[in-house]
Amino acid sequence: MKVVSSIKSAKLRHPACQVVRRKGKIYVINKVEPRYKARQG
């Protein structure tokens, strides 16, 4: 999982990316391509 400063760039990497908030942190999850996981905050 990458820690990114810009969640928008992480979201645009793959069409299946979803932005999710968990415990005050913002995550990008992708069930199709798990290598695109990212966290912000």
Side-chain angles (χ1 to χ4, degrees):
M1 181 185 298
K2 289 195 169 106
V3 179
V4 291
S5 55
S6 169
I7 225 63
K8 188 172 185 186
S9 66
K11 181 180 179 286
L12 295 172
R13 281 188 294 195
H14 193 274
C17 284
Q18 296 174 291
V19 177
V20 183
R21 284 196 70 152
R22 289 180 191 158
K23 299 177 182 173
K25 294 180 174 63
I26 303 176
Y27 292 90
V28 173
I29 58 170
N30 191 332
K31 291 188 167 93
V32 181
E33 283 282 349
R35 68 180 177 187
Y36 290 118
K37 289 194 298 189
R39 176 175 70 80
Q40 183 182 38

